[in-house]
Amino acid sequence: MQLAESMIEDWRAFTTNVSLADAVITGPAIIVTWGDGRVSPFHFMWLRDNCACNQCVHPLTREQVFEIADVPDDLAAQAASIGGAGALHVQWTDGHRSVYTPGWLRAHAYDDASRAERHRAGKAHPWAAEYGAALATFDWRDVEHDDAALHAWLSALRATGLTLLRGVPVEPGSVAAVARRISFIRESNFGVLFDVASKPMPDSNAYTSINLPPHTDLPTRELQPGLQFLHCLVNDAPGGDSIFIDGFALATHLREHEPDAFATLSSTAFEFWNKSATSDYRASAPIIALDGRGEVIEVRHANFLRGPIDAPLASMPAIYEAYRRFIELARDERFRVRHRLAAGEMWAFDNRRVLHARTEFDPQLGARHLQGCYIDRDELLSRIRVLERALPPGS
Amino acid sequence: MQLAESMIEDWRAFTTNVSLADAVITGPAIIVTWGDGRVSPFHFMWLRDNCACNQCVHPLTREQVFEIADVPDDLAAQAASIGGAGALHVQWTDGHRSVYTPGWLRAHAYDDASRAERHRAGKAHPWAAEYGAALATFDWRDVEHDDAALHAWLSALRATGLTLLRGVPVEPGSVAAVARRISFIRESNFGVLFDVASKPMPDSNAYTSINLPPHTDLPTRELQPGLQFLHCLVNDAPGGDSIFIDGFALATHLREHEPDAFATLSSTAFEFWNKSATSDYRASAPIIALDGRGEVIEVRHANFLRGPIDAPLASMPAIYEAYRRFIELARDERFRVRHRLAAGEMWAFDNRRVLHARTEFDPQLGARHLQGCYIDRDELLSRIRVLERALPPGS
């Protein structure tokens, strides 16, 4: 049975096949029992805060105008019932009435089972060298016009952190068109687009022809760019292979096999400083960042963009031991995916997860020119969510 | 005595009036004694990591090419001495030699006294309503061409989080010229510049004429924009006063007087969701963010840009009690600076510290048009540092 869906609360549609079976006021909460037996308590304040009526939410912007401090803290539900279209109806002690559709309630329930269900979704799957043979590859000629192809590409990018796009026109600026299929580009001091080629008077090791060791870009910024795109216009110089390492795989390996190094790298603030005549960016952050639940959410690393470590002498041996191990692991072929980009190919990768490196090339013997740009993780995730609003449920 | 300065290590000049008096190898460190009696130990690995010779650092980019994993972990200093220009000379067991100038060593020493000195610098000073009478005010006609005036403005912005600029031409786009005096602009889904006016079919409460309660902009992004600029082109409609509240002052007040609320607001992940037909941004973050040393570094708050709180039932009473208190404090006149922007005036404020609000205005009785844009904190700090390279020491 498909129950009523509602667009009142948000711009999204909330559907559920599970109906509300019962709603009982108990203490400062309404305890809802679902048709499948799940029990979800909803606190009075939480329910009042989420009233979606036209008085509480601006009908055009769908943003809240009500604030919880507008009602006394002893506000209570006087009556709760399951009404038309299976929705939860609440009558408040101050006379206000609220209606919550089952789809919306199910999507936002915070009983243990509902929370665990939500938090399971979207865990990253680390990869090692084997991924090189199964690289998620897409064609720009599909992605450009087809939202389902776009969604497939972006979902793979979110899951693996490394994808290859083929069929990107070999014209300067094409990388911008690809990026803008997702959202606007994140500018940096290197420009909206940057050109990776050997340059006279380089302001970054990236703009020389030397071996470039594994790194994330712009670790010197408080928020590293979420996605990086690197589009190959020409690659005729000997050398210049691309190498990728899943930073989450390195972190997982350390967590399992060298917990002391993992603890040090996830709790020590390293200094990341850019070196330039015209800018002076600095960030202090751990190499491995954890979220509130202890999950690895970010890797930050560029040996050549560091400032002196600022820690007491007593911590230095453990810090350098852990840092040395991280570099050694990133050099280990077991973790490395290697591919030499051809003209018209483009990397799209998670710059806060995947380290990238480049072998030395000889600019005397041929041209090598990549163009790149950045987009933040927020933009990727927003785009995926909006695309999914238009997809059939469960797809 | 002014000792040798060096630009070898970086693009900056490091000077010190304190000379190196002694350098002794002790265990895995070189213990340096300074002319003023301070004692700074430097660990072998740290010193080797920071060798600034042309082999270890690329001479053009000044970025490191050496990696600590390139040397064995039992590398040691064989000899340490104070040589020409008062620099520390180190001879390593593998034959490599390094030189460290006293200015650079003093700036990066990590004995307790040196670390405390560095960490004291740059603490924020919270303000309340009284700041309205002493608002840091600057004139764009000075700032536009004079780097010392620019530095004064940016330093005030960093310290107080709220400044007023006068004399900005009343032409659309002028706000971009002001922002670009610092750096490039951070684009968002609202554009490079955004127009704050009452609009038909608004996609944000900001674009209506209603009272807009205290908030930070784009709390729905992982990194809220660091600086916000709001330039007044016309303000002829009755109402529409600007109100500012120092979020750091609210946080400090709570920490001192209501520690439970402070603990809840700094440890609970609130959900910040944008509501739009074309975007779907979400961030989970505490309202008060602390750094590794427990200092308040960010406030994130917009009641109208929240998703349902995702926490166990048992936590809800404390969460709502703390959230209610935060809103009540932000409504308290003791903390509020109020000013009605005139054409040609511009706010520049720290969007990750200062809440801004707007009283209702009547678009039937007059025009009101502000233009705004964002720049990240990284850009402000980099600009200040580069400006300070050119200033005389101590200024």
Side-chain angles (χ1 to χ4, degrees), chain B residues 336-358:
Chain B
R336 292 186 152 203
V337 165
R338 185 186 286 249
H339 176 84
R340 193 165 181 284
L341 217 52
E345 288 185 332
M346 193 191 99
W347 293 117
F349 60 96
D350 184 337
N351 180 63
R352 297 169 63 191
R353 168 180 172 181
V354 173
L355 308 175
H356 62 296
R358 175 196 70 206

PDB file of all heavy atoms in Angstrom, chain B residues 336-358:
ATOM      1  N   ARG B 336      23.313  43.060  21.322  1.00  0.00           N
ATOM      2  CA  ARG B 336      22.989  43.445  19.948  1.00  0.00           C
ATOM      3  C   ARG B 336      23.553  44.808  19.543  1.00  0.00           C
ATOM      4  O   ARG B 336      23.326  45.809  20.215  1.00  0.00           O
ATOM      5  CB  ARG B 336      21.474  43.477  19.763  1.00  0.00           C
ATOM      6  CG  ARG B 336      20.868  42.102  19.848  1.00  0.00           C
ATOM      7  CD  ARG B 336      19.385  42.115  19.520  1.00  0.00           C
ATOM      8  NE  ARG B 336      19.005  40.823  18.962  1.00  0.00           N
ATOM      9  CZ  ARG B 336      17.956  40.607  18.196  1.00  0.00           C
ATOM     10  NH1 ARG B 336      17.154  41.609  17.862  1.00  0.00           N
ATOM     11  NH2 ARG B 336      17.700  39.399  17.731  1.00  0.00           N
ATOM     12  N   VAL B 337      24.233  44.825  18.430  1.00  0.00           N
ATOM     13  CA  VAL B 337      24.653  46.071  17.790  1.00  0.00           C
ATOM     14  C   VAL B 337      23.674  46.334  16.654  1.00  0.00           C
ATOM     15  O   VAL B 337      23.396  45.443  15.847  1.00  0.00           O
ATOM     16  CB  VAL B 337      26.092  45.947  17.250  1.00  0.00           C
ATOM     17  CG1 VAL B 337      26.415  47.085  16.280  1.00  0.00           C
ATOM     18  CG2 VAL B 337      27.087  45.915  18.399  1.00  0.00           C
ATOM     19  N   ARG B 338      23.131  47.564  16.600  1.00  0.00           N
ATOM     20  CA  ARG B 338      22.108  47.867  15.601  1.00  0.00           C
ATOM     21  C   ARG B 338      22.529  49.113  14.816  1.00  0.00           C
ATOM     22  O   ARG B 338      23.000  50.085  15.390  1.00  0.00           O
ATOM     23  CB  ARG B 338      20.777  48.130  16.313  1.00  0.00           C
ATOM     24  CG  ARG B 338      19.586  48.347  15.388  1.00  0.00           C
ATOM     25  CD  ARG B 338      18.352  48.737  16.202  1.00  0.00           C
ATOM     26  NE  ARG B 338      17.795  47.598  16.925  1.00  0.00           N
ATOM     27  CZ  ARG B 338      16.615  47.024  16.624  1.00  0.00           C
ATOM     28  NH1 ARG B 338      15.884  47.500  15.622  1.00  0.00           N
ATOM     29  NH2 ARG B 338      16.164  46.021  17.332  1.00  0.00           N
ATOM     30  N   HIS B 339      22.373  49.054  13.520  1.00  0.00           N
ATOM     31  CA  HIS B 339      22.739  50.187  12.666  1.00  0.00           C
ATOM     32  C   HIS B 339      21.940  50.049  11.381  1.00  0.00           C
ATOM     33  O   HIS B 339      21.768  48.950  10.864  1.00  0.00           O
ATOM     34  CB  HIS B 339      24.248  50.146  12.380  1.00  0.00           C
ATOM     35  CG  HIS B 339      24.729  51.206  11.429  1.00  0.00           C
ATOM     36  ND1 HIS B 339      25.046  52.477  11.827  1.00  0.00           N
ATOM     37  CD2 HIS B 339      24.934  51.171  10.086  1.00  0.00           C
ATOM     38  CE1 HIS B 339      25.445  53.185  10.764  1.00  0.00           C
ATOM     39  NE2 HIS B 339      25.381  52.417   9.700  1.00  0.00           N
ATOM     40  N   ARG B 340      21.449  51.176  10.898  1.00  0.00           N
ATOM     41  CA  ARG B 340      20.696  51.127   9.650  1.00  0.00           C
ATOM     42  C   ARG B 340      21.650  51.556   8.537  1.00  0.00           C
ATOM     43  O   ARG B 340      22.170  52.674   8.541  1.00  0.00           O
ATOM     44  CB  ARG B 340      19.480  52.056   9.730  1.00  0.00           C
ATOM     45  CG  ARG B 340      18.495  51.818   8.619  1.00  0.00           C
ATOM     46  CD  ARG B 340      17.150  52.469   8.909  1.00  0.00           C
ATOM     47  NE  ARG B 340      16.242  52.191   7.808  1.00  0.00           N
ATOM     48  CZ  ARG B 340      16.311  52.802   6.631  1.00  0.00           C
ATOM     49  NH1 ARG B 340      17.214  53.751   6.428  1.00  0.00           N
ATOM     50  NH2 ARG B 340      15.461  52.474   5.663  1.00  0.00           N
ATOM     51  N   LEU B 341      21.907  50.652   7.617  1.00  0.00           N
ATOM     52  CA  LEU B 341      22.899  50.892   6.576  1.00  0.00           C
ATOM     53  C   LEU B 341      22.407  51.990   5.625  1.00  0.00           C
ATOM     54  O   LEU B 341      21.258  51.995   5.199  1.00  0.00           O
ATOM     55  CB  LEU B 341      23.117  49.588   5.796  1.00  0.00           C
ATOM     56  CG  LEU B 341      24.533  49.257   5.320  1.00  0.00           C
ATOM     57  CD1 LEU B 341      25.544  49.331   6.438  1.00  0.00           C
ATOM     58  CD2 LEU B 341      24.547  47.864   4.688  1.00  0.00           C
ATOM     59  N   ALA B 342      23.294  52.937   5.310  1.00  0.00           N
ATOM     60  CA  ALA B 342      22.970  53.986   4.328  1.00  0.00           C
ATOM     61  C   ALA B 342      23.628  53.626   2.999  1.00  0.00           C
ATOM     62  O   ALA B 342      24.610  52.873   2.962  1.00  0.00           O
ATOM     63  CB  ALA B 342      23.491  55.340   4.825  1.00  0.00           C
ATOM     64  N   ALA B 343      23.111  54.155   1.934  1.00  0.00           N
ATOM     65  CA  ALA B 343      23.702  53.905   0.619  1.00  0.00           C
ATOM     66  C   ALA B 343      25.190  54.266   0.653  1.00  0.00           C
ATOM     67  O   ALA B 343      25.575  55.303   1.199  1.00  0.00           O
ATOM     68  CB  ALA B 343      22.970  54.714  -0.447  1.00  0.00           C
ATOM     69  N   GLY B 344      26.028  53.405   0.098  1.00  0.00           N
ATOM     70  CA  GLY B 344      27.469  53.649   0.085  1.00  0.00           C
ATOM     71  C   GLY B 344      28.197  53.051   1.271  1.00  0.00           C
ATOM     72  O   GLY B 344      29.422  53.059   1.321  1.00  0.00           O
ATOM     73  N   GLU B 345      27.433  52.529   2.242  1.00  0.00           N
ATOM     74  CA  GLU B 345      28.065  51.839   3.371  1.00  0.00           C
ATOM     75  C   GLU B 345      28.097  50.336   3.101  1.00  0.00           C
ATOM     76  O   GLU B 345      27.270  49.800   2.367  1.00  0.00           O
ATOM     77  CB  GLU B 345      27.303  52.115   4.671  1.00  0.00           C
ATOM     78  CG  GLU B 345      27.484  53.541   5.175  1.00  0.00           C
ATOM     79  CD  GLU B 345      26.822  53.777   6.531  1.00  0.00           C
ATOM     80  OE1 GLU B 345      25.821  53.102   6.851  1.00  0.00           O
ATOM     81  OE2 GLU B 345      27.314  54.659   7.261  1.00  0.00           O
ATOM     82  N   MET B 346      29.039  49.696   3.725  1.00  0.00           N
ATOM     83  CA  MET B 346      29.197  48.258   3.512  1.00  0.00           C
ATOM     84  C   MET B 346      29.611  47.575   4.802  1.00  0.00           C
ATOM     85  O   MET B 346      30.555  48.008   5.458  1.00  0.00           O
ATOM     86  CB  MET B 346      30.265  48.013   2.436  1.00  0.00           C
ATOM     87  CG  MET B 346      30.277  46.591   1.912  1.00  0.00           C
ATOM     88  SD  MET B 346      31.755  46.272   0.894  1.00  0.00           S
ATOM     89  CE  MET B 346      32.754  45.460   2.133  1.00  0.00           C
ATOM     90  N   TRP B 347      28.922  46.488   5.160  1.00  0.00           N
ATOM     91  CA  TRP B 347      29.367  45.637   6.255  1.00  0.00           C
ATOM     92  C   TRP B 347      30.405  44.650   5.742  1.00  0.00           C
ATOM     93  O   TRP B 347      30.241  44.080   4.663  1.00  0.00           O
ATOM     94  CB  TRP B 347      28.206  44.812   6.822  1.00  0.00           C
ATOM     95  CG  TRP B 347      27.137  45.586   7.523  1.00  0.00           C
ATOM     96  CD1 TRP B 347      25.822  45.687   7.158  1.00  0.00           C
ATOM     97  CD2 TRP B 347      27.276  46.346   8.716  1.00  0.00           C
ATOM     98  NE1 TRP B 347      25.137  46.468   8.056  1.00  0.00           N
ATOM     99  CE2 TRP B 347      26.014  46.888   9.022  1.00  0.00           C
ATOM    100  CE3 TRP B 347      28.352  46.631   9.564  1.00  0.00           C
ATOM    101  CZ2 TRP B 347      25.801  47.693  10.139  1.00  0.00           C
ATOM    102  CZ3 TRP B 347      28.137  47.441  10.662  1.00  0.00           C
ATOM    103  CH2 TRP B 347      26.876  47.965  10.941  1.00  0.00           C
ATOM    104  N   ALA B 348      31.416  44.432   6.538  1.00  0.00           N
ATOM    105  CA  ALA B 348      32.314  43.296   6.311  1.00  0.00           C
ATOM    106  C   ALA B 348      32.401  42.586   7.638  1.00  0.00           C
ATOM    107  O   ALA B 348      32.809  43.184   8.638  1.00  0.00           O
ATOM    108  CB  ALA B 348      33.686  43.771   5.852  1.00  0.00           C
ATOM    109  N   PHE B 349      31.985  41.329   7.694  1.00  0.00           N
ATOM    110  CA  PHE B 349      31.959  40.629   8.978  1.00  0.00           C
ATOM    111  C   PHE B 349      32.328  39.167   8.841  1.00  0.00           C
ATOM    112  O   PHE B 349      32.265  38.576   7.768  1.00  0.00           O
ATOM    113  CB  PHE B 349      30.612  40.804   9.678  1.00  0.00           C
ATOM    114  CG  PHE B 349      29.416  40.298   8.924  1.00  0.00           C
ATOM    115  CD1 PHE B 349      28.908  39.034   9.179  1.00  0.00           C
ATOM    116  CD2 PHE B 349      28.778  41.095   7.975  1.00  0.00           C
ATOM    117  CE1 PHE B 349      27.790  38.557   8.510  1.00  0.00           C
ATOM    118  CE2 PHE B 349      27.664  40.622   7.291  1.00  0.00           C
ATOM    119  CZ  PHE B 349      27.175  39.357   7.559  1.00  0.00           C
ATOM    120  N   ASP B 350      32.732  38.619   9.987  1.00  0.00           N
ATOM    121  CA  ASP B 350      33.142  37.218  10.086  1.00  0.00           C
ATOM    122  C   ASP B 350      31.881  36.375  10.190  1.00  0.00           C
ATOM    123  O   ASP B 350      31.254  36.309  11.253  1.00  0.00           O
ATOM    124  CB  ASP B 350      34.035  37.043  11.318  1.00  0.00           C
ATOM    125  CG  ASP B 350      34.583  35.623  11.447  1.00  0.00           C
ATOM    126  OD1 ASP B 350      33.964  34.683  10.890  1.00  0.00           O
ATOM    127  OD2 ASP B 350      35.614  35.455  12.115  1.00  0.00           O
ATOM    128  N   ASN B 351      31.541  35.719   9.109  1.00  0.00           N
ATOM    129  CA  ASN B 351      30.286  34.959   9.040  1.00  0.00           C
ATOM    130  C   ASN B 351      30.337  33.678   9.850  1.00  0.00           C
ATOM    131  O   ASN B 351      29.322  33.009  10.021  1.00  0.00           O
ATOM    132  CB  ASN B 351      29.984  34.642   7.567  1.00  0.00           C
ATOM    133  CG  ASN B 351      28.705  33.865   7.378  1.00  0.00           C
ATOM    134  OD1 ASN B 351      27.629  34.376   7.700  1.00  0.00           O
ATOM    135  ND2 ASN B 351      28.797  32.643   6.872  1.00  0.00           N
ATOM    136  N   ARG B 352      31.502  33.323  10.369  1.00  0.00           N
ATOM    137  CA  ARG B 352      31.618  32.123  11.202  1.00  0.00           C
ATOM    138  C   ARG B 352      31.718  32.505  12.674  1.00  0.00           C
ATOM    139  O   ARG B 352      32.033  31.671  13.513  1.00  0.00           O
ATOM    140  CB  ARG B 352      32.830  31.305  10.762  1.00  0.00           C
ATOM    141  CG  ARG B 352      32.682  30.804   9.331  1.00  0.00           C
ATOM    142  CD  ARG B 352      33.975  30.221   8.799  1.00  0.00           C
ATOM    143  NE  ARG B 352      34.370  29.066   9.574  1.00  0.00           N
ATOM    144  CZ  ARG B 352      35.574  28.493   9.465  1.00  0.00           C
ATOM    145  NH1 ARG B 352      36.465  28.985   8.624  1.00  0.00           N
ATOM    146  NH2 ARG B 352      35.871  27.452  10.187  1.00  0.00           N
ATOM    147  N   ARG B 353      31.480  33.754  12.953  1.00  0.00           N
ATOM    148  CA  ARG B 353      31.541  34.226  14.331  1.00  0.00           C
ATOM    149  C   ARG B 353      30.341  35.098  14.664  1.00  0.00           C
ATOM    150  O   ARG B 353      29.741  34.965  15.720  1.00  0.00           O
ATOM    151  CB  ARG B 353      32.837  35.027  14.517  1.00  0.00           C
ATOM    152  CG  ARG B 353      32.885  35.802  15.800  1.00  0.00           C
ATOM    153  CD  ARG B 353      34.188  36.578  15.962  1.00  0.00           C
ATOM    154  NE  ARG B 353      34.094  37.445  17.128  1.00  0.00           N
ATOM    155  CZ  ARG B 353      35.050  38.253  17.530  1.00  0.00           C
ATOM    156  NH1 ARG B 353      36.202  38.306  16.884  1.00  0.00           N
ATOM    157  NH2 ARG B 353      34.872  39.020  18.589  1.00  0.00           N
ATOM    158  N   VAL B 354      30.036  36.025  13.772  1.00  0.00           N
ATOM    159  CA  VAL B 354      29.046  37.057  14.048  1.00  0.00           C
ATOM    160  C   VAL B 354      27.712  36.672  13.412  1.00  0.00           C
ATOM    161  O   VAL B 354      27.658  36.386  12.214  1.00  0.00           O
ATOM    162  CB  VAL B 354      29.550  38.410  13.491  1.00  0.00           C
ATOM    163  CG1 VAL B 354      28.477  39.470  13.598  1.00  0.00           C
ATOM    164  CG2 VAL B 354      30.817  38.835  14.235  1.00  0.00           C
ATOM    165  N   LEU B 355      26.641  36.659  14.216  1.00  0.00           N
ATOM    166  CA  LEU B 355      25.301  36.446  13.675  1.00  0.00           C
ATOM    167  C   LEU B 355      24.772  37.767  13.153  1.00  0.00           C
ATOM    168  O   LEU B 355      25.007  38.813  13.751  1.00  0.00           O
ATOM    169  CB  LEU B 355      24.365  35.937  14.776  1.00  0.00           C
ATOM    170  CG  LEU B 355      24.846  34.723  15.584  1.00  0.00           C
ATOM    171  CD1 LEU B 355      23.852  34.424  16.719  1.00  0.00           C
ATOM    172  CD2 LEU B 355      25.001  33.504  14.687  1.00  0.00           C
ATOM    173  N   HIS B 356      24.071  37.725  12.033  1.00  0.00           N
ATOM    174  CA  HIS B 356      23.442  38.946  11.553  1.00  0.00           C
ATOM    175  C   HIS B 356      21.944  38.728  11.415  1.00  0.00           C
ATOM    176  O   HIS B 356      21.477  37.604  11.216  1.00  0.00           O
ATOM    177  CB  HIS B 356      24.077  39.445  10.253  1.00  0.00           C
ATOM    178  CG  HIS B 356      23.962  38.517   9.083  1.00  0.00           C
ATOM    179  ND1 HIS B 356      24.558  37.273   9.045  1.00  0.00           N
ATOM    180  CD2 HIS B 356      23.329  38.648   7.884  1.00  0.00           C
ATOM    181  CE1 HIS B 356      24.302  36.683   7.888  1.00  0.00           C
ATOM    182  NE2 HIS B 356      23.543  37.485   7.164  1.00  0.00           N
ATOM    183  N   ALA B 357      21.214  39.824  11.567  1.00  0.00           N
ATOM    184  CA  ALA B 357      19.756  39.779  11.503  1.00  0.00           C
ATOM    185  C   ALA B 357      19.278  41.049  10.820  1.00  0.00           C
ATOM    186  O   ALA B 357      20.047  42.000  10.626  1.00  0.00           O
ATOM    187  CB  ALA B 357      19.175  39.688  12.912  1.00  0.00           C
ATOM    188  N   ARG B 358      18.018  41.045  10.424  1.00  0.00           N
ATOM    189  CA  ARG B 358      17.437  42.226   9.754  1.00  0.00           C
ATOM    190  C   ARG B 358      16.012  42.371  10.243  1.00  0.00           C
ATOM    191  O   ARG B 358      15.279  41.394  10.302  1.00  0.00           O
ATOM    192  CB  ARG B 358      17.430  42.000   8.243  1.00  0.00           C
ATOM    193  CG  ARG B 358      16.735  43.093   7.459  1.00  0.00           C
ATOM    194  CD  ARG B 358      16.429  42.623   6.047  1.00  0.00           C
ATOM    195  NE  ARG B 358      15.381  41.611   6.030  1.00  0.00           N
ATOM    196  CZ  ARG B 358      15.244  40.701   5.081  1.00  0.00           C
ATOM    197  NH1 ARG B 358      16.098  40.641   4.080  1.00  0.00           N
ATOM    198  NH2 ARG B 358      14.248  39.834   5.120  1.00  0.00           N
TER     199      ARG B 358
END
